[in-house]
Amino acid sequence: MGLRFGLLGTGHWARETQGAALAAHPEAALTGVWGRDPAKTAALAARLGTRPYEDVDALIADVDAVAIALPPDVQGELALRAARAGRHLLLDKPVALSTEAADAIVAETEARGLASVVFFTSRFSDTVNDFLAGAAADGGWHGVRATLFASIFQPGNPYGASPWRRAKGGLWDVGPHVLSVVLPVLGPVEEVTAVTGPRDSTHVLTRHRDGAVGSLSVTLDAAPEANTFAVDLYGEHGWRPVPGGDRSAVEAFGAAVDRLSEQVRGGPGDPCDVRFGREVVAVLAAAEASAGTGRTVRVPEAAGSGPAASG
């Protein structure tokens, strides 16, 4: 039998992506579901053919790994609790809403030798990963221009009522998707300058360690006619668009389960582990601070990655 998973969360993403993928995966056993609403927990457990849990710690005690589909502030707390119990982590992005919370998860997983994967959807598609590996090998990139304008507050959108998305906006929800394909090519971000714009948009300039500069614009409240997702590298090779993924969300999450399982079996660490997830959070937190203060903000390095940057 494969890894025993506990699913934490009962919302749309938990139902349609994580739960569906875990229930169908041939090498994963979905032991149970926990959620903050007992009625929704029971309904989802019945749908997935598994057991509802009223106590999250009881579910954590019964599994090898947790898959979390909850708001990032809730996820950060529960991921740390699961790691302290010695459970492997399959997290959604962003892993938390502060660098400090992400640092705590990294420290706990590394101290206990736990496997971890953070689900940046497109990073679990071969088309994207092959492109990023080739672009990184080519080098010579001066920067990136990225625009991710979503429009989730339209009738029928399953994410439009999400309180954390309304509070934190596109920077924290779709910003991780952009950074997940930028950082592997341009490298770590050292400092960030950000401003806010119309329709709750955030516009971010990132200066990377090797001198490249990124220009990122994101929102969840774009005019419907302005919806777009475009990430374009530029440099010595001209302009090169980053491709979209070649897997559905359910298929991509199944690949994430595979990659976590491979680590547990003794395979190498994953490029989308919690340390990478923490790197993304640190950039987002710096951008949020910059937009709020009007100053350029240094991005603190992770422990063990070099001298700490001053904030």
Side-chain angles (χ1 to χ4, degrees), residues 102-112 274:
D103 280 335
I105 297 168
V106 170
E108 199 66 37
T109 57
E110 293 187 345
R112 295 179 178 274
V274 291

Side-chain angles (χ1 to χ4, degrees), residues 38-91:
K40 291 181 179 179
T41 301
L44 181 56
R47 173 176 172 174
L48 297 176
T50 190
R51 173 186 169 189
Y53 277 72
E54 295 183 359
D55 184 343
V56 67
D57 291 306
L59 178 54
I60 290 171
D62 285 349
V63 299
D64 305 304
V66 294
I68 304 182
L70 288 162
D73 55 332
V74 181
Q75 172 175 253
E77 176 187 345
L78 292 178
L80 185 59
R81 190 184 304 185
R84 286 173 174 163
R87 303 305 180 247
H88 306 293
L89 303 178
L90 181 42
L91 306 181

Side-chain angles (χ1 to χ4, degrees), residues 125-138 141 181 184-185 231-233 239-244:
S125 286
D126 293 338
T127 52
V128 175
N129 289 324
D130 291 346
F131 173 88
L132 296 179
D138 290 343
W141 301 107
V181 298
V185 179
V231 183
D232 297 288
L233 297 167
W239 288 87
R240 192 176 296 177
V242 178

